Each structure stands twice: as structure tokens, then as C-alpha cells.
Amino acid sequence: MAVEVAADGEESPLLDPPDSIQLHRRSSNTTSQVAIVGATICPIESLDYEMLENELFKQDWRSRGWLQICQYIFMKWTLCFLVGLFAGLVGFFNNLTVENIAGIKFVATSNLMLANKYGQAFGVFAVSNFVLTLFSSVITAYVAPAAAGSGIPEVKAYLNGVDAPGIFSLQTLLVKIAGSIFAVSSSLVVGKAGPLVHTGACIAAILGQGGSKKYRLTCRWLRYFKNDRDKRDLVTCGSAAGIAAAFRAPVGGVLFAFEEVSSWWRSALLWRAFFTTAVGAVVLRWLIDICKSGKCGLFGKGGLIMFEVTSENVTYNFVDLPPVILLGVFGGILGSFYNFLLMKVLRFYNFIYRKGTVYKLVLACLVSVFTSCCLFGLPWLAPCRPCPIEALEECPTIGRSGNYKKFQCTPGHYNDLASLFFNTNDDAIRNLFSSGTNNEFDYLSILLFFFTSYFLGILSYGIVAPCGLFVPVILTGATYGRFVGMLVGAKSNLDHGLFAVLGSAAFLAGSMRMTVSLCVILLELTNNLLLLPLVMLVLLISKTVADCFNGNVYDQLVRMKGLPYLEAHAEPYMRQLAVSDVITGPLQFFNGIEQVGNIVHVLKTTRHHGFPVIDEPPFSDSPVLFGLVLRSHLLVLLKKKIFLHSRTLAGIDALNQFTANDFAKRGSGKGDSIDDIELTYDEMRMFIDLHPISNASPYTVVETMSLAKALILFREVGLRHLLVVPKSSNRVLPLVGILTRHDFMPEHILGLHPLLQQSRLGYLLWVSVI
């Protein structure tokens, strides 16, 4: 395709006067330019990380003195500090609120159980969960649908160069925080880590856009950050701060951003991301210390973010390695199967969601009722166990979180399965990770809890509410690891709590396929460096086994949502094609000095965002590619009505009528539209000089370059448009076409060249085997 096609995939009508040339090729690129963002389908656009080099921006950079440069550097670090500060505050607030809301619900249910009012206890428990789930789903579905899910696939796609309306808006931020609190408090098997990653990215994006012109809340110092490049870096820092706030793992947060969500990385960004997460960790540590004095209600009595629960002295030898290796192997199999089932369930949910918003709410309510029935009913199958004499805490636990829930048992006994179900997910993980509790759980209870958390985690993730995968996968993996530890028994020197930690590592690697970041997150989570060799071994084995079956869960979610994500590597069949083999549709360009009417007509009849600018005689000896002009910049010119009465160059004085801020990237609000600009008949017959605002040095490739090589250039530089020029000078025009993100999508390439499908299938089979 020459330029981006309309969202509906149809060819756009073009002008046909001498000022505009239309070259017919194959049919236009029909790959979809809409995607699932959160819980709704919306149009998507590409971001442009390329540095524009036109006369206006060059003049702006030349005018900046040392004071402006110092302001820019100071504001970069100040924004990172604020992102870390607010991410830490939100992370603390989320945990504080969840622990108190869920705690009040569990205490009320337990009090009724103590009074033998089991029916009323179930009613209170189920109704509370139903109301919390319904409220979270309602505000998500009607206020900010982009807040549904974890948000990590959307953040990952954004950092790859894909933008969608509303993913970082203030509404999305507020709904993400409130919805996540109520969803986690409703006893659904969902997590807070993914929503916190999205929350941190939202905070970064909102702070970096320089306020709102609509509400007259702007900051002049932030005008330098109104571009995709600086916003990308700040969102990367925000996503790292989200993981740091979820697990109090600052180093793990940086590595997570580097390994999982970021597509571009450099040493300067590493420093700023580390500073951001360090600020968040300090804020969390300070606030948690305050809560230890009992000023935060039920929070602080079990609701700490960090699981400091493992043995201080971890000893293991060679005989412990076989069960650890098997743990990794089966963890990879179970993790990949988890991904497989999750994709099947989400596709079924998407089919239901097409019927309307009411169906989304009904599905969420049904999942809530089913979850409540499982959590309240299954503990009745577990036997009551006598309280251990050497217990380090009160047994049974009454009125707070703990390892020993009484449920229906007689005094002096506890229900081990209820101790897992009637706690928040954080507290259940803490119970499973606890050392010195080898005799606390029964085989049947652990097995029931494993299957329940495994399948409820899959069913809960797709509802229309902010919910993450990290904590459910950690919880299920910890149960799996604890069960393996119980099977091994005295044959291993490892504590069952340590097996639970290794089980979480195996499940995380089997589902999410991360290694380094997960290793560090788990070490920071458990505060135990002695586990490092075993965690590394389990992660490597589990990831290797899982890669034989399917891909990373977040990569699969990105593809299922229809987000045009560019992979870091090119598929082999791309080396068999030249860039000219995938160019489709008509080519539309503007002359260096173009008539206003032509520009307005093209902007109204197409949705393209970039147009080549070509100089023709008498402004050049022959047709010459001058550069590329963006739709947003054309709208600014039309809005200000800086027109010429004849087809002549405007001269350097035209630059004095604009500032660089006039062409700066707009925030999350509604941008300018060609339909909002009113022009008279006489103005439509006037001209505009496009030279001052055209990028005079766009990236170009020759038409014979391999598609694989062009993909690497396109992704690494972060382009939105890549111009293709002819190899010979005998062409009528100095341009063959334009490549955009959608031209590199497999659906488009294989649609044009279906015979390559066999090559691709062979490659995928080869990758799965090795």
C-alpha cells in the first residue's frame, strides 16, 4: 500500500488533476486497522518515533540555549521521580484498600460461621463478591472499556509503536485503580500486578503530555515532551514502576520493562527506569513501616506486599536436583496448557461480547457466582486437622488473615483448604510459601486448590474488569510446587515452602516465558538470595519445555487482540521478497506548493497520516522527492490559514508565523479534524508552501531491498512511514510507494503471496522442534 488505508479497509477516492498523480497497483492493504483494546474494539494508529528534520524544528532547536537544555534534563528526572512517587502511592493504596475490603468480608463471613449460621454466611460471602464484581464491571464497561484486562498487551503494543484512543486517559487511570481494587477484593482469582503496570504507564503518559488545554491546565516546561519519543521513554519507566509497586521489586521492575514490554532500550533509559522504581520502592517501604503500627486497619497484619517467609538457611545437594528438574519440566507443560486454555476461553468470551455490553456484565456476574460457590463449597470436602502444637501463630485464626481458618471445624482444629480460599490471593501465596509448615496441608486439599485456582484463573481473566495474570499464575504455581514437595517428602532436603517458590517460578516461566526478570522478581519477593541457582534452573527448563508447545501468553494476547505488533526478528519467507513486492494500492502525494482545495479533498477522502512531497518544474529540474508531510501538520496549516495567492515559495518569513509548539503532539484528548476547519471558496483556490513543515530527510529504501531487512530498519528506528524509491532514474516519479506497519503483517504478505504459507508453516514447525 502506498499510505495507510482507511479503517474500513477500502480504497479511498483520490484527486485526478495535474497536481496529483494516481498510480494503480494491486488492491489496497486490507489488514484490519481496528483492534481489541481492553474490552472494546476501536481504531488504532501508529506512533512515529522518528526525529523530524524540517526548517521549523531546526530553527526551534537552534534557538534553544543552555537554560532550555537544563530545563529539559531537569524535567526528565523530575517526571521520573513523580511517576515513581505516584506509582508507589497507588500500589500502597490498592493493597491497603483490598486488604480492608476483603478483610471485612471474610470477618463477617467467619463470624456467621462461628455462630453456625452457614446459610447466612454463604449469602453474605456470595452477595459481597457479586456486588464488588458487578461494580468493577459496570464502571469498566460504561466509563473506560480500555481499562479491562491487565493492560500489559496494550502497553507492550504501545511501546512497539501502536496507539489506540483512551489507553492512557485519565478515565482509564481512575477506572483501572478502582476496578482493580474491587475485582481483587471480590475473591476472583485475578491479580493486581498487570493493572499496576498499566496504571504506572497511565500516570507517566498523563504527566508527560503537559496537562490539558481544555481545562487550561498546562505547563510551559513540558512542551519539550509533546512527542512520541519522550512519551515512549516515560511510559517505559511507568511500566517498570508498576511492577515495583506490585511486588516491591525495583530491580525486577526494570528488568521486566526491558525483557517483556519494551521494544527499544538504551543505557540512558536504564538509569531513569531504575531511578523511577527506586523511588517507588522507597515510598512503599516507608508507608508499610507506618502500617506496622496498626494504623491501617487490617492492612499490615498479613497484607504486606513482600513475602518474607522462606527459610533463612537453605541447604540442598545433588539428590535434590532430580525433583527440581521434574518440577521445571511439568511446570512448562502445565504453563503452556494454561496459555492454550486461556486463548480458547477468551475467544469464546469475545464471541459473547459481540452481543452487547449487557452480556459482558452477565458473564462477569456468572463467573462471580460460580467462584463464590467453589470457594465456599469445596472446603466442606476437606478434613479438619488438629492445630499443630508448635504453631507460630494463633490456631485457629479468627478475625484476621492467617494459616489456620476454623471454618466448620470444632475448637482446636482448622480447615486447611479454607485457610487458602478464605484469604486474599496475597495471603494464600504467603501461606503456601511459609517455611516450617510441611505438615500443615493435606494432599486432597492441595490438589483441590490447585485445580480450582488453575481453572478459575482462566475463567476470571477475560471478564470486563481490570484483572491481571501474574498473581493467579504465582498462586497456582505455588500450589503445584507445594504438592510436588509433599510427594517428594523426606527424600529431599528442601522445605515444602521452597518447593512452592520453585513451583511459582516454573509456572511463570511456562506461561510468560520470561527468565531474568522473573528470577529477580522472585528473589526480591521472597528476600532469599540462596534460592538463586535453583530458581535459575527451574526457569530455564520450564521455558524451554513450554516453547515447544506455544508462545508467550502476552504475545498471544497481542495477536488475539489484533494489535499489529512488529517482532524483533523477520520470518525467513520475508527474505524471499523485495519491498516492492508488498506495495499495494494507489500512491498519493502532494507537490511542494499545493493548492488548498487539493489538500482538503485528500484529507477528507482518505485517512492517511503521511504524504510524500515532490518538487516538480519550475521548482526543480526534474521530479525530486523533497520529503514527507504529516496529516496533523497539514491541519495546523489549514487552521491558521497561512495561504499564498500564487504558486510561489513562501520564504523564510513564513516560519515566523509558527512555533514548534503549534505542531507538537496532542495529548489524550480529541485531536484536530479536517471537518472542523471551515474554508471559503476563495481560500480553497489559494496555495500552501509545504516545504517548511515537511520532513526533508525521511528514511528511504531502494525497491530491491529485502522485506526482512526493511522490517529490521522499520522496527529498530521506530518508523511510521518508510519511503520506497526506484533503483533506476528512468521512472516518471522519484518514488515507488510507502511502507507502513501493516505492510509487514503476515496476513497482508501471505494474502499477496499465498505460496509462502507453506514456507512459514515449515519454519514454525522447525522452531517448535528445536
Side-chain angles (χ1 to χ4, degrees), residues 75 87 95 158 227 288 323 405 444 537 561 590 664 675 711:
M75 286 306 301
N95 282 273
Y158 178 86
N227 60 78
I288 289 174
K405 292 292 185 180
L444 176 61
L537 178 64
K561 287 174 174 288
F590 290 129
D675 297 325
L711 170 64

Side-chain angles (χ1 to χ4, degrees), residues 87 92 291 316 344 398 428 453 499 662:
F92 172 77
C291 282
Y316 49 88
K344 295 294 184 183
I398 299 175
S453 60
F499 268 107
D662 293 331

Side-chain angles (χ1 to χ4, degrees), residues 347-398:
R347 287 189 176 91
F348 174 71
Y349 283 2
N350 287 338
F351 173 76
I352 296 176
Y353 288 168
R354 293 181 193 142
K355 300 180 182 296
T357 304
V358 174
Y359 286 85
K360 299 178 183 179
L361 300 179
V362 170
L363 179 61
C365 293
L366 290 176
V367 171
S368 174
V369 172
F370 180 70
T371 301
S372 297
C373 292
C374 291
L375 269 56
F376 193 89
L378 289 177
W380 293 88
L381 302 177
C384 292
R385 300 171 64 87
C387 292
I389 300 176
E390 68 279 4
L392 300 179
E393 61 179 272
E394 179 186 355
C395 179
T397 304
I398 299 175

Side-chain angles (χ1 to χ4, degrees), residues 51-265:
M51 179 75 72
L52 293 180
E53 293 185 350
N54 57 37
E55 290 301 323
L56 181 65
F57 282 90
K58 287 180 181 179
Q59 179 175 302
D60 179 65
W61 276 101
R62 286 192 294 264
S63 65
R64 297 183 186 182
W66 65 270
L67 180 61
Q68 286 78 16
I69 295 175
C70 290
Q71 283 180 355
Y72 176 69
I73 296 173
F74 173 76
M75 286 306 301
K76 281 203 298 187
W77 289 95
T78 301
L79 287 174
C80 288
F81 173 81
L82 293 175
V83 170
L85 173 65
F86 288 122
L89 291 173
V90 170
F92 172 77
F93 175 74
N94 281 12
N95 282 273
L96 172 69
T97 312
V98 167
E99 287 290 329
N100 280 282
I101 293 176
I104 292 172
K105 176 187 66 180
F106 287 131
V107 169
T109 304
S110 298
N111 290 339
L112 291 171
M113 294 287 289
L114 290 173
N116 296 327
K117 298 178 180 179
Y118 301 124
Q120 294 182 26
F122 174 71
V124 169
F125 182 69
V127 171
S128 300
N129 292 338
F130 183 88
V131 171
L132 291 170
T133 302
L134 181 61
F135 182 78
S136 177
S137 299
V138 166
I139 62 174
T140 304
Y142 289 105
V143 180
S150 69
I152 291 180
E154 285 81 2
V155 173
K156 183 172 183 175
Y158 178 86
L159 294 177
N160 189 258
V162 180
D163 194 13
I167 58 172
F168 296 138
S169 67
L170 182 60
Q171 283 181 323
T172 301
L173 172 62
L174 296 177
V175 171
K176 200 77 178 184
I177 295 172
S180 175
I181 290 173
F182 289 108
V184 175
S185 301
S186 68
S187 294
L188 293 174
V189 185
V190 297
K192 63 181 184 298
L196 275 174
V197 171
H198 193 184
T199 298
C202 286
I203 293 172
I206 292 172
L207 289 176
Q209 74 181 31
S212 171
K213 286 186 177 181
K214 179 180 178 181
Y215 299 104
R216 297 181 180 179
L217 299 173
T218 58
C219 178
R220 184 171 174 269
W221 279 30
L222 291 178
R223 67 186 185 276
Y224 301 130
F225 294 90
K226 292 186 177 183
N227 60 78
D228 290 335
R229 295 181 308 282
D230 286 312
K231 191 174 180 180
R232 172 194 66 191
D233 292 347
L234 204 56
V235 168
T236 303
C237 294
S239 63
I243 287 293
F247 300 119
R248 211 177 74 190
V251 180
V254 175
L255 293 175
F256 172 82
F258 168 71
E259 186 176 4
E260 181 58 30
V261 298
S262 179
S263 295
W264 294 275
W265 198 264

Side-chain angles (χ1 to χ4, degrees), residues 75 81 134 245 295 305 482 600 701:
M75 286 306 301
F81 173 81
L134 181 61
K295 300 178 180 179
I305 298 172
R482 171 73 74 155
V600 171
V701 295

